[in-house]
Structures are given as C-alpha cells and as structure tokens.
Amino acid sequence: MDDKQRIMDIVDDKQDEFIAASDRIWDTPETRFAVKRSVEPYYEVLEKEGFSIHKGVAGMEYAFIATWGSGSPVIGITAEYDALGNLSQEAGNSERKPLVPGGAGQGCGHNVLGTTALGAAVALKTLMEEKQLKGTLRLYGCPAEESGYGKAFMARDGVFDDLDAAFTCHPMDATTVVGSASLAVMQANFEFTGVAAHAAAAPEMGRDALDAAELMNVGVQFLREHIIDQARIHYAFLDAGGESANVVHPSSKIYYFVRAPRLDQVKEIYDRVVNIAKGAALMTDTTLNIDFDSACANYIPNHPLCEAMDANLDLIGPLQLTPQELAFEKDIQLHSAQPGLIDKLAARAKEAFPDKSPEEISEIANSGIALQKLPLVYTDNPKGQGSTDVGDVSWCTPTTYVAVGFEPQGMSPHSWQWVANGKSSVAHKGLVLGAKTIALTAYDALTNPDLLKAAREAFERDLDGATYTSVIPPEVVPH
C-alpha cells in the first residue's frame, strides 16, 4: 500500500471521532474569541493522539498550537471553530426554524472546517509515526475568523514565520482549490458622545451624538464615488441613541468595515473614513472615540501548492451521495426561494465547463449540490469574495486551501441554510473529503523538497520584495 492510500484509509478509520467533534461544536455555537466549549473537542482528540499543545497563543485564551515531530520541514494546518450571531437553526430542517431565537449558529460551517483540519493533522501524524518521517507538523487552533481575525493576531506575533507551507479548507457550495484573491479589511467602532437635553424645551443645551453618526454616514456615502470599484464599505448601528425621540441623543455608536483588494488600499480608504468621522464630530460639537477592532490581509494563493492540491482532489474523487442525501440538499435549495438562482448556477457551470452541452449544464444547475470539481482558476480580482484571515498566513508562508463543496448549491455562506446542513451526512462526507485533500497535500510538501522549493520561489515572486506588516496597532488586543 502506498503512503497516500494509507493516509486516506487512516481518515476513513478515524472519521467517527472527527464527525463527533464536528457535531459537538455545532451544538455549542460560540462567536469571536469566546469559544471555550468549541475548542474542547480539539484538546481531547489531540491529547489522545499524542500532540503537545501550547494554549493561549497570541493573547487569545482559546487559541492553540498542537505540535508533533521535530526538525524540517515545518508544515502548518489551520483550524477554525467560531460561529455567527443570529443564525440559530434546527439541524436537518429545510425551512427556517431557529433553535434559539436570536442565537448563534454555524453559518459558515466552521464546525466542519476545523475538524477537517483536525482530521488531516491526525492522519498525517499517524503516517509520520508509522513511517518515521522527519519533519514538524503543527495544527493551529484559530478563534474569531469571523470579524475578529485570530490568525491576524497570530501573524502579528510571528507564529507562522518559520513554516515551510500552510494548508486549510473552507466549506462551499462547490469543490475547488481556491486560486482567487480575497479582500483585505479593516474595521473599527466609531463612538460619538454628546450632551442630553430636552429636545423641545432646551434643544440648544444638547449636542446630538446620533446626528454625528448620521452625518458620518452621509459623508461616507459621498466617499463611495471616489474610491476604487473593488472596495466595499459597510456599517451597523450598535447604539442609535436610545428609544426616546424627545431627548437629544447623548450617545451613538457605529461599526464600520472597509474592504479592498490590498491592505494598503484599505488603509488609505480607512483613513479617509476616520477623517469623515472627525468632521462629523466637529460639526455637531460632540466627542469621538475610535475603537479599532481588527484587520486582515488579502489571500495570496501559492500556485505550486494549489496545483498539488488540485491533483489530490482528482485522486480522491467527488463526494458519493445517496439519492436521499441529494434530495435533502435540493429541498434546502428549493425553500430558499431565490429568484434567478438556477440561471446563476447555469452561468457558473457554463463558465467552468464550456464544452458541456446545454442539457448537461441544465442538469448541473438544477442539482441541489455541485458534485463535479470546478477547475482551478487564478485571479487577482476578488470580485464576489469576502475576507479571511487566511490572507495573513499567506503573507507569512506559502499557503493554499481547498473549498469543499458539501453545502446546498447556490446557498450563500452566513446563512441559516448552511446551519441546517451542518450536521448532515453530506457535511460529514465533506469533512472526510476535505481531511484527505489537506493531508495528502501536506504529505506532498513534507516529502517533496522540490515542491517546497517551487512554493517558496513562487511566494517570493508574489510578494516582490514586500513583507508582511500588520495594520493592527500594537496596543490593540483580541477582544
């Protein structure tokens, strides 16, 4: 038996413990850095498997580095386990039904994402032990990928700097190796403080903080005309001044995200947003406090590692689903009632598979889940992309990741549909496929010096002399 077949057999043999961990994390959805229960299944499996675990990394109580082996090369795999607010949903229900109204849910599939990485690390470690392979294997437990960007704090502290390569995955509605860039982002809370007064009897004595926040928003709307097309700016009110209309609002707080293809572009736009906020405070005679939250860099796909991962996907083959599983995914899709969804899926399929007949394209588009792997495509244009702190890792070491297509086709991340699918047998099969893909590619990096050499050369070409510099101010800590 060759080593790669052995790795796949190990994942199959141990899959029940990875699936159990994934389902436990789904059952206890926690957000940002407060992931005390979500991290526990990792510790249990890793301790049983003989990894040494360093907890409390980069100022985050529930971040960890689990290590096995020693010496070179040093291979990293990253795991995530945080959930999203207000996405509670009953598992296996194709209609919207929150378990806890307003509660959190695994709307980006991180319960599967993280345990996929866990499974890959355990499988590769087991083979390394059996074959006495040299090298160091690390699994990074990374809280707060959603908005808090735990990996960005880890990168700021240099924890990825000595890696020879890094690997990860993400759930998606189609399987592919991710060759497209992501958007960099900076985000902060803008808090205005005014003076309360009776809005009718003594308005001249008041200074309205809500007016300041609204003026800031107006200024940012005008700014949109004068920034690059790929940039994105979004906001949410965290404090709208209270419930009384007859009070001059003494407080207001607004949360802003600024995104662009590169961190230097984000920084330029963010600085202009800050100036607008300062102007709004001056206009209203209020005071402004800016609480910088976090930031993450754009993802740089490493072509040699991407191509190795793509070849391993071909070796593993697509998900094998039963008619009942296919019907469940289709049922979720049908209950989403998104106008034009099938046309969008047909356009995607036609772009990916230009040689297929109209009948074949229609069959793909009308399926509840995309089984055929999409081709690896490289692009620096992050249109249609979000942000991920995997980007910070990719600025520190050659990095690649696989999108594992076990989510209902056409359903967006950060949706209740993904939560509903998170404990399904389809998600479990996606976990196994992803674990095999990461483990096989990490094995390639561990045992093939030529691949690592090519990956490092591509990494240096991509950076073109630039180095990773975190834009998170040194005084800002994970919170």
Side-chain angles (χ1 to χ4, degrees):
M1 179 185 299
D2 68 17
D3 288 352
K4 288 198 170 184
Q5 184 59 54
R6 176 60 184 144
I7 287 171
M8 290 191 283
D9 289 347
I10 294 167
V11 174
D12 288 335
D13 291 344
K14 294 177 177 286
Q15 64 176 288
D16 287 349
E17 65 179 330
F18 310 141
I19 290 169
S22 175
D23 287 355
R24 277 181 61 190
I25 295 164
W26 190 99
D27 287 336
T28 58
E30 298 166 305
T31 59
R32 284 179 62 102
F33 299 99
V35 285
K36 179 179 181 179
R37 293 177 298 176
S38 301
V39 77
E40 289 172 357
Y42 292 89
Y43 295 155
E44 293 173 13
V45 173
L46 291 165
E47 287 169 359
K48 186 182 78 169
E49 293 289 344
F51 284 79
S52 63
I53 306 175
H54 173 205
K55 302 177 182 179
V57 175
M60 295 174 285
E61 185 174 2
Y62 306 116
F64 67 86
I65 303 174
T67 304
W68 194 90
S70 61
S72 297
V74 184
I75 305 300
I77 301 172
T78 66
E80 302 163 14
Y81 28 91
D82 57 316
L84 288 155
N86 202 28
L87 281 179
S88 176
Q89 167 66 22
E90 185 177 270
N93 193 334
S94 60
E95 299 186 28
R96 182 70 166 118
K97 186 178 180 182
L99 282 172
V100 179
Q106 287 287 349
C108 211
H110 290 184
N111 61 306
V112 180
L113 185 169
T115 49
T116 293
L118 174 67
V122 168
L124 184 55
K125 173 263 177 185
T126 304
L127 183 83
M128 291 173 69
E129 192 172 28
E130 291 175 354
K131 299 288 186 176
Q132 297 185 326
L133 299 177
K134 295 181 179 179
T136 302
L137 175 63
R138 294 187 193 143
L139 178 69
Y140 292 85
C142 309
E145 190 276 339
E146 301 292 354
S147 299
Y149 312 126
K151 296 184 202 68
F153 287 99
M154 297 167 93
R156 188 181 68 174
D157 281 13
V159 302
F160 305 115
D161 289 351
D162 65 339
L163 288 180
D164 290 291
F167 304 91
T168 192
C169 67
H170 203 287
M172 197 47 66
D173 73 327
T175 297
T176 189
V177 176
V178 180
S180 57
S182 65
L183 291 168
V185 62
M186 295 175 68
Q187 56 207 50
N189 292 289
F190 295 83
E191 186 171 9
F192 297 91
T193 302
V195 178
H198 195 294
E204 73 281 0
M205 297 179 65
R207 300 293 182 267
D208 201 312
L210 182 58
D211 285 353
E214 291 190 287
L215 283 167
M216 178 185 175
N217 281 344
V218 170
V220 172
Q221 307 316 323
F222 282 104
L223 174 65
R224 294 179 193 276
E225 183 183 358
H226 305 288
I227 58 177
I228 57 175
D229 290 344
Q230 302 96 321
R232 300 287 185 269
I233 307 176
H234 355 280
Y235 64 90
F237 273 99
L238 303 184
D239 174 11
E243 299 179 356
S244 298
N246 64 339
V247 174
V248 175
H249 307 94
S251 65
S252 186
K253 187 175 183 180
I254 193 164
Y255 188 27
Y256 259 88
F257 280 52
V258 180
R259 304 185 203 251
R262 300 194 315 268
L263 262 180
D264 59 334
Q265 296 168 326
V266 174
K267 180 67 165 58
E268 179 184 352
I269 298 168
Y270 173 79
D271 287 344
R272 295 174 73 180
V273 171
V274 167
N275 285 337
I276 290 169
K278 290 177 179 177
L282 284 171
M283 284 189 285
T284 53
D285 198 18
T286 57
T287 59
L288 169 66
N289 178 65
I290 301 173
D291 176 23
F292 191 93
D293 183 33
S294 195
C296 72
N298 51 295
Y299 166 64
I300 305 172
N302 184 271
H303 291 203
L305 295 182
C306 286
E307 285 149 22
M309 183 169 270
D310 190 58
N312 284 318
L313 269 178
D314 290 334
L315 179 65
I316 299 164
L319 291 175
Q320 301 297 315
L321 302 184
T322 66
Q324 292 78 13
E325 289 169 333
L326 291 169
F328 170 66
E329 301 298 318
K330 186 64 179 178
D331 197 35
I332 293 179
Q333 185 192 78
L334 289 172
H335 279 93
S336 72
Q338 294 183 16
L341 175 61
I342 300 302
D343 290 341
K344 292 176 184 177
L345 295 176
R348 181 175 76 174
K350 188 173 182 180
E351 181 179 7
F353 310 112
D355 295 333
K356 289 192 178 294
S357 69
E359 292 76 19
E360 290 172 314
I361 294 297
S362 177
E363 182 179 354
I364 293 171
N366 281 279
S367 173
I369 191 165
L371 294 177
Q372 188 167 352
K373 180 194 77 171
L374 298 184
L376 168 59
V377 176
Y378 298 114
T379 174
D380 292 329
N381 180 11
K383 182 179 180 182
Q385 295 292 320
S387 304
T388 173
D389 57 11
V390 174
D392 294 80
V393 183
S394 75
W395 275 82
C396 300
T397 190
T399 303
T400 189
Y401 76 95
V402 60
V404 186
F406 63 82
E407 301 290 2
Q409 189 176 198
M411 301 299 97
S412 170
H414 298 196
S415 67
W416 66 263
Q417 289 93 339
W418 279 37
V419 187
N421 193 49
K423 291 177 71 175
S424 69
S425 59
V426 179
H428 297 159
K429 289 181 177 180
L431 188 163
V432 170
L433 186 151
K436 291 177 179 178
T437 306
I438 295 174
L440 294 183
T441 316
Y443 168 83
D444 289 336
L446 184 76
T447 59
N448 185 350
D450 290 339
L451 174 60
L452 282 185
K453 181 174 183 250
R456 179 58 58 175
E457 289 172 350
F459 174 74
E460 292 174 355
R461 283 196 305 271
D462 289 337
L463 264 60
D464 193 25
T467 57
Y468 176 75
T469 303
S470 176
V471 298
I472 304 174
E475 66 275 11
V476 173
V477 298
H479 61 288

PDB file of all heavy atoms in Angstrom, residues 128-156:
ATOM      1  N   MET A 128       3.275   9.694   9.644  1.00  0.00           N
ATOM      2  CA  MET A 128       4.645  10.085  10.001  1.00  0.00           C
ATOM      3  C   MET A 128       5.203   9.166  11.082  1.00  0.00           C
ATOM      4  O   MET A 128       6.386   8.772  11.040  1.00  0.00           O
ATOM      5  CB  MET A 128       4.666  11.538  10.480  1.00  0.00           C
ATOM      6  CG  MET A 128       4.397  12.570   9.392  1.00  0.00           C
ATOM      7  SD  MET A 128       4.222  14.251  10.063  1.00  0.00           S
ATOM      8  CE  MET A 128       5.925  14.574  10.596  1.00  0.00           C
ATOM      9  N   GLU A 129       4.370   8.818  12.023  1.00  0.00           N
ATOM     10  CA  GLU A 129       4.795   7.930  13.100  1.00  0.00           C
ATOM     11  C   GLU A 129       5.072   6.530  12.569  1.00  0.00           C
ATOM     12  O   GLU A 129       6.094   5.907  12.911  1.00  0.00           O
ATOM     13  CB  GLU A 129       3.715   7.907  14.183  1.00  0.00           C
ATOM     14  CG  GLU A 129       4.132   7.261  15.478  1.00  0.00           C
ATOM     15  CD  GLU A 129       3.085   7.456  16.559  1.00  0.00           C
ATOM     16  OE1 GLU A 129       1.879   7.591  16.218  1.00  0.00           O
ATOM     17  OE2 GLU A 129       3.471   7.477  17.738  1.00  0.00           O
ATOM     18  N   GLU A 130       4.173   6.038  11.735  1.00  0.00           N
ATOM     19  CA  GLU A 130       4.342   4.688  11.185  1.00  0.00           C
ATOM     20  C   GLU A 130       5.585   4.571  10.307  1.00  0.00           C
ATOM     21  O   GLU A 130       6.310   3.575  10.347  1.00  0.00           O
ATOM     22  CB  GLU A 130       3.100   4.304  10.373  1.00  0.00           C
ATOM     23  CG  GLU A 130       1.850   4.091  11.195  1.00  0.00           C
ATOM     24  CD  GLU A 130       0.620   3.833  10.346  1.00  0.00           C
ATOM     25  OE1 GLU A 130       0.720   3.925   9.097  1.00  0.00           O
ATOM     26  OE2 GLU A 130      -0.441   3.536  10.920  1.00  0.00           O
ATOM     27  N   LYS A 131       5.824   5.602   9.480  1.00  0.00           N
ATOM     28  CA  LYS A 131       6.917   5.566   8.507  1.00  0.00           C
ATOM     29  C   LYS A 131       8.181   6.248   9.012  1.00  0.00           C
ATOM     30  O   LYS A 131       9.173   6.309   8.282  1.00  0.00           O
ATOM     31  CB  LYS A 131       6.459   6.241   7.208  1.00  0.00           C
ATOM     32  CG  LYS A 131       5.273   5.589   6.534  1.00  0.00           C
ATOM     33  CD  LYS A 131       5.654   4.263   5.901  1.00  0.00           C
ATOM     34  CE  LYS A 131       4.496   3.684   5.103  1.00  0.00           C
ATOM     35  NZ  LYS A 131       4.870   2.442   4.400  1.00  0.00           N
ATOM     36  N   GLN A 132       8.124   6.782  10.225  1.00  0.00           N
ATOM     37  CA  GLN A 132       9.260   7.507  10.819  1.00  0.00           C
ATOM     38  C   GLN A 132       9.742   8.625   9.898  1.00  0.00           C
ATOM     39  O   GLN A 132      10.937   8.798   9.647  1.00  0.00           O
ATOM     40  CB  GLN A 132      10.405   6.533  11.144  1.00  0.00           C
ATOM     41  CG  GLN A 132      10.029   5.495  12.192  1.00  0.00           C
ATOM     42  CD  GLN A 132      11.179   4.611  12.590  1.00  0.00           C
ATOM     43  OE1 GLN A 132      12.045   4.280  11.774  1.00  0.00           O
ATOM     44  NE2 GLN A 132      11.219   4.232  13.854  1.00  0.00           N
ATOM     45  N   LEU A 133       8.756   9.403   9.398  1.00  0.00           N
ATOM     46  CA  LEU A 133       9.068  10.531   8.521  1.00  0.00           C
ATOM     47  C   LEU A 133       9.549  11.716   9.347  1.00  0.00           C
ATOM     48  O   LEU A 133       9.006  12.006  10.414  1.00  0.00           O
ATOM     49  CB  LEU A 133       7.833  10.935   7.718  1.00  0.00           C
ATOM     50  CG  LEU A 133       7.256   9.865   6.778  1.00  0.00           C
ATOM     51  CD1 LEU A 133       5.993  10.379   6.106  1.00  0.00           C
ATOM     52  CD2 LEU A 133       8.288   9.432   5.742  1.00  0.00           C
ATOM     53  N   LYS A 134      10.555  12.408   8.849  1.00  0.00           N
ATOM     54  CA  LYS A 134      11.097  13.563   9.543  1.00  0.00           C
ATOM     55  C   LYS A 134      10.277  14.806   9.233  1.00  0.00           C
ATOM     56  O   LYS A 134       9.718  14.952   8.142  1.00  0.00           O
ATOM     57  CB  LYS A 134      12.551  13.782   9.133  1.00  0.00           C
ATOM     58  CG  LYS A 134      13.488  12.659   9.563  1.00  0.00           C
ATOM     59  CD  LYS A 134      14.911  12.954   9.134  1.00  0.00           C
ATOM     60  CE  LYS A 134      15.850  11.831   9.588  1.00  0.00           C
ATOM     61  NZ  LYS A 134      17.253  12.086   9.157  1.00  0.00           N
ATOM     62  N   GLY A 135      10.263  15.711  10.188  1.00  0.00           N
ATOM     63  CA  GLY A 135       9.577  16.974   9.999  1.00  0.00           C
ATOM     64  C   GLY A 135       8.695  17.312  11.180  1.00  0.00           C
ATOM     65  O   GLY A 135       8.473  16.496  12.084  1.00  0.00           O
ATOM     66  N   THR A 136       8.208  18.544  11.180  1.00  0.00           N
ATOM     67  CA  THR A 136       7.355  19.050  12.253  1.00  0.00           C
ATOM     68  C   THR A 136       5.975  19.356  11.689  1.00  0.00           C
ATOM     69  O   THR A 136       5.848  20.035  10.663  1.00  0.00           O
ATOM     70  CB  THR A 136       7.949  20.331  12.863  1.00  0.00           C
ATOM     71  OG1 THR A 136       9.263  20.045  13.351  1.00  0.00           O
ATOM     72  CG2 THR A 136       7.087  20.841  14.000  1.00  0.00           C
ATOM     73  N   LEU A 137       4.964  18.851  12.354  1.00  0.00           N
ATOM     74  CA  LEU A 137       3.576  19.086  11.958  1.00  0.00           C
ATOM     75  C   LEU A 137       2.904  19.910  13.040  1.00  0.00           C
ATOM     76  O   LEU A 137       2.988  19.572  14.227  1.00  0.00           O
ATOM     77  CB  LEU A 137       2.849  17.753  11.778  1.00  0.00           C
ATOM     78  CG  LEU A 137       1.347  17.812  11.483  1.00  0.00           C
ATOM     79  CD1 LEU A 137       1.082  18.519  10.162  1.00  0.00           C
ATOM     80  CD2 LEU A 137       0.758  16.402  11.473  1.00  0.00           C
ATOM     81  N   ARG A 138       2.234  20.985  12.626  1.00  0.00           N
ATOM     82  CA  ARG A 138       1.516  21.836  13.581  1.00  0.00           C
ATOM     83  C   ARG A 138       0.072  22.035  13.135  1.00  0.00           C
ATOM     84  O   ARG A 138      -0.186  22.301  11.955  1.00  0.00           O
ATOM     85  CB  ARG A 138       2.169  23.215  13.686  1.00  0.00           C
ATOM     86  CG  ARG A 138       3.559  23.219  14.288  1.00  0.00           C
ATOM     87  CD  ARG A 138       4.036  24.634  14.491  1.00  0.00           C
ATOM     88  NE  ARG A 138       5.456  24.699  14.785  1.00  0.00           N
ATOM     89  CZ  ARG A 138       6.266  25.647  14.353  1.00  0.00           C
ATOM     90  NH1 ARG A 138       5.780  26.646  13.619  1.00  0.00           N
ATOM     91  NH2 ARG A 138       7.542  25.637  14.672  1.00  0.00           N
ATOM     92  N   LEU A 139      -0.821  21.931  14.097  1.00  0.00           N
ATOM     93  CA  LEU A 139      -2.216  22.315  13.882  1.00  0.00           C
ATOM     94  C   LEU A 139      -2.463  23.582  14.681  1.00  0.00           C
ATOM     95  O   LEU A 139      -2.257  23.609  15.902  1.00  0.00           O
ATOM     96  CB  LEU A 139      -3.177  21.215  14.331  1.00  0.00           C
ATOM     97  CG  LEU A 139      -4.661  21.561  14.180  1.00  0.00           C
ATOM     98  CD1 LEU A 139      -5.049  21.635  12.707  1.00  0.00           C
ATOM     99  CD2 LEU A 139      -5.548  20.545  14.901  1.00  0.00           C
ATOM    100  N   TYR A 140      -2.893  24.629  14.015  1.00  0.00           N
ATOM    101  CA  TYR A 140      -3.165  25.922  14.655  1.00  0.00           C
ATOM    102  C   TYR A 140      -4.665  26.047  14.911  1.00  0.00           C
ATOM    103  O   TYR A 140      -5.464  26.011  13.970  1.00  0.00           O
ATOM    104  CB  TYR A 140      -2.707  27.066  13.753  1.00  0.00           C
ATOM    105  CG  TYR A 140      -1.218  27.164  13.573  1.00  0.00           C
ATOM    106  CD1 TYR A 140      -0.572  26.397  12.604  1.00  0.00           C
ATOM    107  CD2 TYR A 140      -0.452  28.023  14.354  1.00  0.00           C
ATOM    108  CE1 TYR A 140       0.805  26.477  12.425  1.00  0.00           C
ATOM    109  CE2 TYR A 140       0.925  28.115  14.175  1.00  0.00           C
ATOM    110  CZ  TYR A 140       1.536  27.340  13.212  1.00  0.00           C
ATOM    111  OH  TYR A 140       2.905  27.428  13.037  1.00  0.00           O
ATOM    112  N   GLY A 141      -5.033  26.194  16.162  1.00  0.00           N
ATOM    113  CA  GLY A 141      -6.421  26.459  16.515  1.00  0.00           C
ATOM    114  C   GLY A 141      -6.662  27.950  16.541  1.00  0.00           C
ATOM    115  O   GLY A 141      -6.073  28.664  17.359  1.00  0.00           O
ATOM    116  N   CYS A 142      -7.546  28.428  15.674  1.00  0.00           N
ATOM    117  CA  CYS A 142      -7.660  29.867  15.403  1.00  0.00           C
ATOM    118  C   CYS A 142      -9.084  30.363  15.672  1.00  0.00           C
ATOM    119  O   CYS A 142      -9.988  30.125  14.866  1.00  0.00           O
ATOM    120  CB  CYS A 142      -7.297  30.165  13.948  1.00  0.00           C
ATOM    121  SG  CYS A 142      -5.719  29.447  13.417  1.00  0.00           S
ATOM    122  N   PRO A 143      -9.314  31.044  16.781  1.00  0.00           N
ATOM    123  CA  PRO A 143     -10.637  31.613  17.048  1.00  0.00           C
ATOM    124  C   PRO A 143     -10.923  32.810  16.137  1.00  0.00           C
ATOM    125  O   PRO A 143     -10.027  33.378  15.504  1.00  0.00           O
ATOM    126  CB  PRO A 143     -10.534  32.087  18.507  1.00  0.00           C
ATOM    127  CG  PRO A 143      -9.258  31.522  19.039  1.00  0.00           C
ATOM    128  CD  PRO A 143      -8.367  31.291  17.861  1.00  0.00           C
ATOM    129  N   ALA A 144     -12.183  33.187  16.105  1.00  0.00           N
ATOM    130  CA  ALA A 144     -12.609  34.503  15.598  1.00  0.00           C
ATOM    131  C   ALA A 144     -12.210  34.784  14.168  1.00  0.00           C
ATOM    132  O   ALA A 144     -11.836  35.905  13.837  1.00  0.00           O
ATOM    133  CB  ALA A 144     -12.075  35.613  16.512  1.00  0.00           C
ATOM    134  N   GLU A 145     -12.330  33.788  13.295  1.00  0.00           N
ATOM    135  CA  GLU A 145     -12.126  34.112  11.871  1.00  0.00           C
ATOM    136  C   GLU A 145     -13.181  35.096  11.412  1.00  0.00           C
ATOM    137  O   GLU A 145     -12.921  35.952  10.569  1.00  0.00           O
ATOM    138  CB  GLU A 145     -12.172  32.835  11.028  1.00  0.00           C
ATOM    139  CG  GLU A 145     -11.735  33.020   9.573  1.00  0.00           C
ATOM    140  CD  GLU A 145     -12.844  33.526   8.638  1.00  0.00           C
ATOM    141  OE1 GLU A 145     -14.032  33.364   8.981  1.00  0.00           O
ATOM    142  OE2 GLU A 145     -12.517  34.077   7.566  1.00  0.00           O
ATOM    143  N   GLU A 146     -14.373  34.977  11.984  1.00  0.00           N
ATOM    144  CA  GLU A 146     -15.461  35.890  11.634  1.00  0.00           C
ATOM    145  C   GLU A 146     -15.273  37.219  12.355  1.00  0.00           C
ATOM    146  O   GLU A 146     -15.557  37.353  13.536  1.00  0.00           O
ATOM    147  CB  GLU A 146     -16.815  35.271  12.006  1.00  0.00           C
ATOM    148  CG  GLU A 146     -17.115  33.944  11.346  1.00  0.00           C
ATOM    149  CD  GLU A 146     -17.326  34.057   9.847  1.00  0.00           C
ATOM    150  OE1 GLU A 146     -17.356  35.186   9.323  1.00  0.00           O
ATOM    151  OE2 GLU A 146     -17.458  33.005   9.196  1.00  0.00           O
ATOM    152  N   SER A 147     -14.732  38.174  11.662  1.00  0.00           N
ATOM    153  CA  SER A 147     -14.617  39.573  12.108  1.00  0.00           C
ATOM    154  C   SER A 147     -13.484  39.838  13.094  1.00  0.00           C
ATOM    155  O   SER A 147     -12.882  40.902  13.050  1.00  0.00           O
ATOM    156  CB  SER A 147     -15.934  40.081  12.719  1.00  0.00           C
ATOM    157  OG  SER A 147     -16.956  40.030  11.754  1.00  0.00           O
ATOM    158  N   GLY A 148     -13.166  38.907  13.978  1.00  0.00           N
ATOM    159  CA  GLY A 148     -12.101  39.170  14.938  1.00  0.00           C
ATOM    160  C   GLY A 148     -10.713  38.904  14.388  1.00  0.00           C
ATOM    161  O   GLY A 148      -9.735  39.513  14.808  1.00  0.00           O
ATOM    162  N   TYR A 149     -10.614  37.903  13.465  1.00  0.00           N
ATOM    163  CA  TYR A 149      -9.384  37.595  12.734  1.00  0.00           C
ATOM    164  C   TYR A 149      -8.259  37.143  13.656  1.00  0.00           C
ATOM    165  O   TYR A 149      -7.207  37.767  13.775  1.00  0.00           O
ATOM    166  CB  TYR A 149      -8.944  38.780  11.869  1.00  0.00           C
ATOM    167  CG  TYR A 149     -10.060  39.357  11.046  1.00  0.00           C
ATOM    168  CD1 TYR A 149     -10.375  40.706  11.101  1.00  0.00           C
ATOM    169  CD2 TYR A 149     -10.846  38.536  10.240  1.00  0.00           C
ATOM    170  CE1 TYR A 149     -11.426  41.233  10.363  1.00  0.00           C
ATOM    171  CE2 TYR A 149     -11.905  39.054   9.501  1.00  0.00           C
ATOM    172  CZ  TYR A 149     -12.194  40.400   9.577  1.00  0.00           C
ATOM    173  OH  TYR A 149     -13.235  40.916   8.851  1.00  0.00           O
ATOM    174  N   GLY A 150      -8.486  35.982  14.304  1.00  0.00           N
ATOM    175  CA  GLY A 150      -7.486  35.438  15.205  1.00  0.00           C
ATOM    176  C   GLY A 150      -6.149  35.194  14.533  1.00  0.00           C
ATOM    177  O   GLY A 150      -5.081  35.420  15.131  1.00  0.00           O
ATOM    178  N   LYS A 151      -6.165  34.726  13.282  1.00  0.00           N
ATOM    179  CA  LYS A 151      -4.896  34.455  12.593  1.00  0.00           C
ATOM    180  C   LYS A 151      -4.106  35.731  12.362  1.00  0.00           C
ATOM    181  O   LYS A 151      -2.869  35.694  12.301  1.00  0.00           O
ATOM    182  CB  LYS A 151      -5.152  33.755  11.264  1.00  0.00           C
ATOM    183  CG  LYS A 151      -5.775  32.388  11.364  1.00  0.00           C
ATOM    184  CD  LYS A 151      -5.890  31.739  10.000  1.00  0.00           C
ATOM    185  CE  LYS A 151      -6.936  30.657   9.979  1.00  0.00           C
ATOM    186  NZ  LYS A 151      -8.316  31.179  10.141  1.00  0.00           N
ATOM    187  N   ALA A 152      -4.793  36.866  12.227  1.00  0.00           N
ATOM    188  CA  ALA A 152      -4.081  38.133  12.043  1.00  0.00           C
ATOM    189  C   ALA A 152      -3.292  38.490  13.295  1.00  0.00           C
ATOM    190  O   ALA A 152      -2.156  38.986  13.215  1.00  0.00           O
ATOM    191  CB  ALA A 152      -5.066  39.249  11.689  1.00  0.00           C
ATOM    192  N   PHE A 153      -3.861  38.241  14.471  1.00  0.00           N
ATOM    193  CA  PHE A 153      -3.121  38.471  15.716  1.00  0.00           C
ATOM    194  C   PHE A 153      -1.973  37.486  15.846  1.00  0.00           C
ATOM    195  O   PHE A 153      -0.886  37.829  16.335  1.00  0.00           O
ATOM    196  CB  PHE A 153      -4.054  38.378  16.919  1.00  0.00           C
ATOM    197  CG  PHE A 153      -4.985  39.551  17.058  1.00  0.00           C
ATOM    198  CD1 PHE A 153      -6.308  39.469  16.620  1.00  0.00           C
ATOM    199  CD2 PHE A 153      -4.542  40.744  17.606  1.00  0.00           C
ATOM    200  CE1 PHE A 153      -7.165  40.561  16.744  1.00  0.00           C
ATOM    201  CE2 PHE A 153      -5.397  41.838  17.743  1.00  0.00           C
ATOM    202  CZ  PHE A 153      -6.709  41.748  17.295  1.00  0.00           C
ATOM    203  N   MET A 154      -2.196  36.257  15.411  1.00  0.00           N
ATOM    204  CA  MET A 154      -1.128  35.255  15.446  1.00  0.00           C
ATOM    205  C   MET A 154      -0.002  35.647  14.484  1.00  0.00           C
ATOM    206  O   MET A 154       1.192  35.528  14.828  1.00  0.00           O
ATOM    207  CB  MET A 154      -1.696  33.878  15.105  1.00  0.00           C
ATOM    208  CG  MET A 154      -2.733  33.381  16.104  1.00  0.00           C
ATOM    209  SD  MET A 154      -3.663  31.941  15.518  1.00  0.00           S
ATOM    210  CE  MET A 154      -2.685  30.610  16.210  1.00  0.00           C
ATOM    211  N   ALA A 155      -0.380  36.123  13.293  1.00  0.00           N
ATOM    212  CA  ALA A 155       0.637  36.553  12.333  1.00  0.00           C
ATOM    213  C   ALA A 155       1.404  37.756  12.853  1.00  0.00           C
ATOM    214  O   ALA A 155       2.622  37.867  12.651  1.00  0.00           O
ATOM    215  CB  ALA A 155      -0.025  36.877  10.994  1.00  0.00           C
ATOM    216  N   ARG A 156       0.697  38.683  13.517  1.00  0.00           N
ATOM    217  CA  ARG A 156       1.367  39.845  14.111  1.00  0.00           C
ATOM    218  C   ARG A 156       2.426  39.407  15.110  1.00  0.00           C
ATOM    219  O   ARG A 156       3.480  40.058  15.246  1.00  0.00           O
ATOM    220  CB  ARG A 156       0.338  40.763  14.781  1.00  0.00           C
ATOM    221  CG  ARG A 156       0.902  42.080  15.258  1.00  0.00           C
ATOM    222  CD  ARG A 156      -0.149  42.949  15.939  1.00  0.00           C
ATOM    223  NE  ARG A 156      -0.601  42.389  17.223  1.00  0.00           N
ATOM    224  CZ  ARG A 156      -1.419  43.024  18.059  1.00  0.00           C
ATOM    225  NH1 ARG A 156      -1.886  44.225  17.749  1.00  0.00           N
ATOM    226  NH2 ARG A 156      -1.785  42.456  19.197  1.00  0.00           N
TER     227      ARG A 156
END
